[in-house]
RNA sequence: GGGCUCGUGGUCUAGCUGGUUAUGACGUGGCCUUUACAAGGCCGAGGUCGGUGGUUCGAAUCCGCCCGAGCCCA
């Protein structure tokens, strides 16, 4: 704690001194064991302090040289979970790779602290209800609670070592964002894409607000089906009553009609008659409609305003009256007569009892069924008629589909989710919420004629509850009294603007016509002015459209969708070139982590036990878009890799000077390594560009561990002092650190600073991490080394054969071998085999070894044989199995066919008759005497 | 109920524009102290590729159905 205090005091002093004292706390040094805990937190702190990842782009810059990422800001509703950790890490791979490839990367961060989620957090945290507070008072409480959570969240995010630019964070509730959000509302309104309408909407009685379709989720709840007898008030049928089944008897005071399916033979007689509702006695028409589900209950259904979405459709289609029996807090209204004032639950019980008493309850049994509940509070939703603002989207479905097609999807298959979502859309987007903590609508209404008065763009952000409207009198009717809109925006109305927030979208009322002229000249980089005076501008036009938008596959259908369409409507451009979809982290049994199952793994616990770099290595193991399990064994694999990298670095450090001169000519083995490295670089670059992190990870690990450590380092040990090997060792080692850097930022930084940074930045001063960090270096490019890769491969085969020989004969690996003969092409690598395997006398022979061969098998090349011989292949196969074939020179005569040599291969059983032991490998034969 | 995705040794995974011998890691058994690393190296065991039917000379791979899991939607 004291140290913390010291540091924050000192940071006000001259930065040079601060930095040098900081450096004393931890001097990168390549010695002993790798201490991840100390080293990781050190670099995390240094990266933030020195703005290593700050975006310094220039608005005039060519957008092609900037890589901009639009990150969805996490909702402030709790603490960091494994999904955050995984998603952020994946984004960071892209950010770090691109920073090395191209330099300027914008990797921002935001908090979505506006809306119902943070209100509920506040209510839970402080154990209060928003209804008990004044709006401003409650908003202040929300800000306080969110601030605490955000501070904690930030600290934990920084502990993940992601390369976020912490200078560029935002909150969706801050004034700058409020201005953008209100601008968006005004712009869409002016474009004719928003309307205010009185209509049935989904309503949460607990939160007391309208909510949108996407905020409702199904929940299995216990309930009862009640068979209730309705009387018949008209004369057209012999029946005196009929029965309906309902789970919501408390809605019968709101009953406005009864429906029968037109093809329901049993109930045809009811159509056109009048029903009498029990207890309440009011009469309602019986109407036919195809939407009746004949399979359910009696086939006769009551329609109430409103029990479900079907009721709404009927209400609209048949122009039914509105009977509101339940108010905004789920309390019965005066329409419910003696039940007025009861909650829906209480009323349900009372009405059922009274129905029973009256003889109208014919049956009642328990069921479980899916109930629509509000995702934030799990309260069953109601449907209420109210005046709400909508964004019109249904008429632009085709354009939104095209927008989706314009983006590159990683993985590609995820586009179908977006597509199906849009194709299935049935409602326009309801954006008004009757809540306290949110961004207010910048609107007033004329008290006389209800005409909406929009705020002036220049005045934004405004709060109509405390600010005055921009007009003296209503432009429609001249009335001078106005009513403020009390509603706030839906969270998504703001969080769908993150590309515009990140790019600094704004409206300029003065210099705007100029800006719009510029736009016409220089094409798409400038936003066109929106009619008349003024126009939209961007502080950082070079960022927009964004190169990448990452998110989980669960939010494609609303967050990504809303963001694409809003930005598209505002700018006419698709906001993202590409979108990267991450899967979900499951528990070790591949099941979803959830609090109720108690299988949640907290990132804190994982970080306490494993290095962040090891966790990142695990995060890289999943194919992008696939769900994958959290398994501790994978973290141990990462830990082992860190140790290997550390130890190999120590060995390299002991074998060669840090910065050896390039020799005039490289020895074949060294040229071979660098040529293999070139190949690896090319593969890795392609994998990173395609977001194939799992493939990149495995390719790099295999090459580093097997080829470099197991094969090359063992050779290099025997070549200590050779300038060619020293150069190759160091070149490869530097490159490995750079290639690992996006995956393992901490250990590579430590190694880089310990070994190479000093020699490169001696003159730059101590606090020049910003330019000396491995993470701002250039991504390696293939150098064009050429080598006989086949001979190298054969040589490695020979070496591992000899290693196996020693192992199997229980010999130490450094034991001497008297004489070895190699039958195979290892041109130029003879010395390598001799020294690394300690061979006294090595002979390489072009001849065949002294063997007696016996024909053992014919292996057919089916890929050419199949297409040529078709169904005859089976016959040929059988004949060979029966040994019914003959070799006629190069030709194989079998089953009446003469097969050309390219169709088969003859393999021989070799029996070595010379001295010593023969070992066969794929590419060579080795004889040890 | 609909859509999308997934199912490969004990565990996780590669392969899946069809070519017969299915990749690697972890774990597991055995052997080896070798000028980084024994938390290392070498060798081995372990798989009817969810089930089933089809297309084909040939299917982990393509198609149909079924089973199981996940996500989204109703």
């Amino acid at each position: 704690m004291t140290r913390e205090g010291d540091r924050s005091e000192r940071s006000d002093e001259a930065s040079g001194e601060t930095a040098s004292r900081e450096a004393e706390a931890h001097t990168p040094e390549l010695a002993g064991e790798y201490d991840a805990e100390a080293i990781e937190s050190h670099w995390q702190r240094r990266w933030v302090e020195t703005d290593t990842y700050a975006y310094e782009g220039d608005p005039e810059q060519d957008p092609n040289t900037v890589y901009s990422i639009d990150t969805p800001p996490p909702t402030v509703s709790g603490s960091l979970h494994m999904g955050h950790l995984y998603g952020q890490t994946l984004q960071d791979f892209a950010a770090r790779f691109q920073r090395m490839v191209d330099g300027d990367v914008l990797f921002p961060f935001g908090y979505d602290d506006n809306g119902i989620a943070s209100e509920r957090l506040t209510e839970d945290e402080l154990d209060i209800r928003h209804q008990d507070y004044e709006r401003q008072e409650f908003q202040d409480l929300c800000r306080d609670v969110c601030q605490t959570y955000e501070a904690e969240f930030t600290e934990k995010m920084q502990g993940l070592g992601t390369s976020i630019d912490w200078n560029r964070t935002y909150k969706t509730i801050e004034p700058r964002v409020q201005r953008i959000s209100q601008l968006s509302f005004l712009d869409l309104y002016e474009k004719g894409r928003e309307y205010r309408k009185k209509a049935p909407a989904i309503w949460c009685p607990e939160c007391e607000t309208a909510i949108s379709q996407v905020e409702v989720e199904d929940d299995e709840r216990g309930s009862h089906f009640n068979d209730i007898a309705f009387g018949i008030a008209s004369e057209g049928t012999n029946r005196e009553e009929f029965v309906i089944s309902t789970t919501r008897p408390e809605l019968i005071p709101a009953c406005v009609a009864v429906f029968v399916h037109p093809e329901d033979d049993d109930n045809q007689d009811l159509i056109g008659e009048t029903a009498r509702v029990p207890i309440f006695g009011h009469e309602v028409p019986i109407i036919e409609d195809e939407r009746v589900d004949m399979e359910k209950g009696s086939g006769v259904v009551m329609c109430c305003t409103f029990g479900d979405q079907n009721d709404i459709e009927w209400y609209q289609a048949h122009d039914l009256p509105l009977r509101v029996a339940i108010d905004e807090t789920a309390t019965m209204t005066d329409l419910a007569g003696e039940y007025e004032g009861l909650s829906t639950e209480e009323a349900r019980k009372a009405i059922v009892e009274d129905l029973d008493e009256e003889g109208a309850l014919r049956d009642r049994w328990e069921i479980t069924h899916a109930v629509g509940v509000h995702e934030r509070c799990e309260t069953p939703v109601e449907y209420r008629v109210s005046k709400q603002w909508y964004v019109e989207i249904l008429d632009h479905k085709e354009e939104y589909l095209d927008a989706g097609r314009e983006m590159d999807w990683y993985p590609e298959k995820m586009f179908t989710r977006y597509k199906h979502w849009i194709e299935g859309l049935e409602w326009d987007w309801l954006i008004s919420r009757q809540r306290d903590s949110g961004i207010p609508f910048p609107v007033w209404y004329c008290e006389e004629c209800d005409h909406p008065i929009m705020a002036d763009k220049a005045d934004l952000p405004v709060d109509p509850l405390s600010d005055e409207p921009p007009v003296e009198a209503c432009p429609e009717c001249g009335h001078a009294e106005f009513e403020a809109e009390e509603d706030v925006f839906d969270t998504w109305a703001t969080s769908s603007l993150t590309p515009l927030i990140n790019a600094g979208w704004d409206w300029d009322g003065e210099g705007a016509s100029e800006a719009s002229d510029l736009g016409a000249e220089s094409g798409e980089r400038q936003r066109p002015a929106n009619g008349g005076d003024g126009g939209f501008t961007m502080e950082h036009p070079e960022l927009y459209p964004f190169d990448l938008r990452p998110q989980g596959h669960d939010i494609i259908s609303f967050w990504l969708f809303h963001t694409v369409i809003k930005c598209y409507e505002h700018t006419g451009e698709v906001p993202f070139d590409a979108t990267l979809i991450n899967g979900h982290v499951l528990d070790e049994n591949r099941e979803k982590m959830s609090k109720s199952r108690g299988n949640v793994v907290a990132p804190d616990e994982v970080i306490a036990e494993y290095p962040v770099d090891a966790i990142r290595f695990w995060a890289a193991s999943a194919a992008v878009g696939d769900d994958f399990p959290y398994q501790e064994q994978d973290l141990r694999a990462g830990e082992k890799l860190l140790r290997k990298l550390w130890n190999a670095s120590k060995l390299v450090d002991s074998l060669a000077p840090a910065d050896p001169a390039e020799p005039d000519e490289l020895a074949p083995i060294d040229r071979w390594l660098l040529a293999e490295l070139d190949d690896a670089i090319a593969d890795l670059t392609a994998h990173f560009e395609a977001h194939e992190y799992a493939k990149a990870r495995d390719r790099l690990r295999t090459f580093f561990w097997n080829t470099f450590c197991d094969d090359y380092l063992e050779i290099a040990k025997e070549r200590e002092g050779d300038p060619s090997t020293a150069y190759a060792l160091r070149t490869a080692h530097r490159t490995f650190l750079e290639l690992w850097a996006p995956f393992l930022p901490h250990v590579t930084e430590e190694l880089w600073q310990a070994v190479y940074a000093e020699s490169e930045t001696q003159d730059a001063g101590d606090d020049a991490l910003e330019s000396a960090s491995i993470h701002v270096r250039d991504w390696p490019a293939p150098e064009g080394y050429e080598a006989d890769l086949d001979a190298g491969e054969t040589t490695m085969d020979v070496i591992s054969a000899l290693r196996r020989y020693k192992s199997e004969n229980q010999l130490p690996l450094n034991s001497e071998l008297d004489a070895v003969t190699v039958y195979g092409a290892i041109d130029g690598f003879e010395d390598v085999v001799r020294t690394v395997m300690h061979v006294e006398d090595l002979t390489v022979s072009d001849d065949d070894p002294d063997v007696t061969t016996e024909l053992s098998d014919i292996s057919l090349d089916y890929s050419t044989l199949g297409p040529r011989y078709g169904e005859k292949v089976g016959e040929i196969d059988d004949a060979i199995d029966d040994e019914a074939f003959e070799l006629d020179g190069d030709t194989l005569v079998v089953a009446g066919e003469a097969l050309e040599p390219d169709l088969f291969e003859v393999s021989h059983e070799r029996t070595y008759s010379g001295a010593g032991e023969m070992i066969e490998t794929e590419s060579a034969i080795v004889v040890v005497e």
Side-chain angles (χ1 to χ4, degrees), chain A residues 519-654:
Chain A
E521 280 165 31
S522 61
E524 58 178 346
R525 295 313 306 167
Q526 297 283 334
R527 306 286 76 71
N530 183 46
D533 51 347
F536 288 101
T537 60
M538 278 200 200
E539 193 188 343
H540 285 283
E542 81 282 6
L543 297 172
Y544 192 93
F546 280 67
D547 291 271
L548 188 69
R549 160 69 180 222
Q551 72 259 289
H553 59 55
D554 54 331
I555 57 172
I556 292 172
S557 53
F558 43 108
W559 205 338
L560 177 63
F561 168 72
H562 286 147
T563 308
V564 168
I565 67 163
K566 280 196 83 173
C567 295
Y568 171 79
E569 294 293 353
H570 288 305
T571 69
E573 281 181 274
V574 181
F576 311 118
D577 291 343
T579 180
L580 176 69
I581 312 291
N582 66 269
H584 286 172
V585 179
L586 309 174
D587 79 354
E588 54 192 353
N589 301 314
R590 294 194 143 275
E591 282 178 33
K592 190 187 178 183
M593 288 187 187
S594 73
K595 276 181 193 152
S596 55
R597 281 188 229 195
N599 62 347
V600 174
V601 177
D604 292 3
E605 300 165 20
V606 183
I607 289 172
E609 202 163 343
Y610 293 96
V612 173
D613 281 343
I615 299 168
R616 294 170 62 95
F617 189 68
W618 157 76
S621 70
V624 166
D626 283 2
D627 292 348
F628 72 121
Y630 165 77
Q631 299 225 117
E632 268 198 285
Q633 60 177 42
D634 293 326
L635 299 181
R636 284 186 217 112
E639 239 180 341
K640 284 170 74 168
L641 175 69
L642 300 184
R643 198 174 298 125
K644 192 78 176 174
L645 182 56
W646 183 260
N647 288 324
S649 299
K650 283 204 303 194
L651 179 61
V652 169
D653 210 41
S654 71

Side-chain angles (χ1 to χ4, degrees), chain A residues 200-402:
Chain A
I202 304 168
W203 185 272
C204 175
E206 165 68 23
C207 301
E208 293 181 37
T209 179
I211 57 176
S212 71
Q213 218 183 333
V214 298
E215 291 164 272
V216 180
E217 58 187 20
D218 284 353
D219 197 21
E220 285 292 324
R221 297 278 169 102
S223 180
H224 290 86
F225 247 121
N226 302 278
D227 279 0
I228 299 169
F230 277 49
I232 293 172
S234 54
E235 303 293 328
T237 175
N238 305 334
R239 273 203 258 181
E240 289 185 351
E241 61 167 51
F242 61 90
V243 171
I244 62 106
S245 290
T246 180
T247 56
R248 302 204 55 191
E250 75 276 19
L251 274 171
I252 61 172
C255 179
V256 291
V258 167
F259 282 91
V260 170
H261 198 280
E263 283 157 27
D264 183 353
D265 296 336
D266 295 344
N267 295 306
Q268 283 301 302
D269 57 316
L270 295 175
I271 296 168
E273 302 301 316
T274 304
R276 184 182 298 110
V277 178
I279 298 182
F280 297 92
H282 61 282
E283 294 180 3
V284 299
I286 304 175
I287 308 169
E288 66 171 359
D289 194 290
E290 292 171 343
R291 282 164 279 206
V292 174
D293 181 358
M294 286 196 290
E295 307 298 314
K296 246 187 193 168
S298 60
V300 187
V301 186
M302 70 170 176
C303 169
C304 310
T305 50
F306 299 98
D308 60 21
Q309 304 226 4
N310 228 356
D311 290 345
I312 296 171
E313 285 180 38
W314 280 329
Y315 162 79
Q316 287 165 340
H318 297 279
D319 202 17
L320 296 167
L322 182 68
R323 290 177 67 90
V324 180
I326 297 172
D327 75 4
E328 64 277 5
T329 63
T331 304
M332 305 307 290
T333 65
D334 58 346
L335 202 67
E338 58 175 292
Y339 307 100
E340 182 181 358
L342 298 182
S343 73
T344 48
E345 298 285 325
E346 294 162 344
R348 182 177 307 168
K349 199 161 162 259
I351 288 176
V352 167
E353 278 167 17
D354 292 348
L355 284 168
D356 199 16
E357 211 159 285
E358 211 174 84
L361 183 69
R362 295 303 156 82
D363 202 358
R364 177 174 161 85
W365 67 97
E366 274 189 28
I367 56 154
T368 47
H369 66 155
V371 178
V373 300
H374 186 198
E375 60 176 359
R376 300 294 180 196
C377 65
E378 303 193 329
T379 306
V381 298
E382 299 285 350
Y383 298 85
R384 288 183 59 77
V385 169
S386 54
K387 240 182 181 179
Q388 306 284 349
W389 280 97
Y390 294 84
V391 176
E392 189 169 13
I393 54 177
L394 296 177
D395 61 329
H396 277 186
K397 277 187 182 188
E398 275 310 315
E399 287 174 55
Y400 301 156
L401 276 173
D402 284 340

Side-chain angles (χ1 to χ4, degrees), chain A residues 799-811 813 815-817 820 916-919 926-929:
Chain A
I799 290 172
S800 67
L802 290 172
R803 214 182 275 151
R804 201 180 317 137
Y805 172 84
K806 290 184 177 181
S807 176
E808 280 171 2
N809 289 285
Q810 307 198 0
L811 295 167
L813 284 177
S815 59
E816 295 281 328
L817 294 174
V820 170
E917 188 177 326
M918 182 184 79
I919 312 161
V926 182
V927 173
V928 185
E929 282 175 55

Side-chain angles (χ1 to χ4, degrees), chain A residues 100 677 680-681 684-685 688 700 703 732 734-744 748 774 779-780:
Chain A
M100 292 178 82
L677 183 62
I681 292 168
L684 280 165
T685 306
F688 266 103
L700 183 53
F703 181 59
R734 282 168 187 262
T735 308
F736 274 123
L737 294 183
E738 288 162 345
L739 294 173
W740 278 122
F743 286 133
L744 314 173
T748 51
I774 188 167
W779 182 252

Side-chain angles (χ1 to χ4, degrees), chain A residues 4-68:
Chain A
E4 290 288 322
D6 283 348
R7 187 171 58 252
S8 55
E9 270 172 44
R10 280 194 204 137
S11 65
D12 293 329
E13 299 172 19
S15 61
E17 197 184 332
T18 309
S20 62
R21 287 196 201 168
E22 264 306 309
E24 280 168 18
H26 170 80
T27 310
E29 190 188 2
L30 184 48
E33 301 210 332
Y34 179 59
D35 178 5
E37 211 174 327
I39 287 167
E40 290 187 340
S41 56
H42 170 77
W43 289 117
Q44 285 161 11
R45 216 170 51 228
R46 294 290 291 148
W47 292 329
V48 173
E49 283 170 358
T50 62
D51 296 334
T52 305
Y53 307 122
Y55 172 70
E56 285 166 357
D58 172 352
E60 302 296 314
Q61 193 165 355
D62 176 357
N64 291 324
T65 66
V66 178
Y67 194 81
S68 49

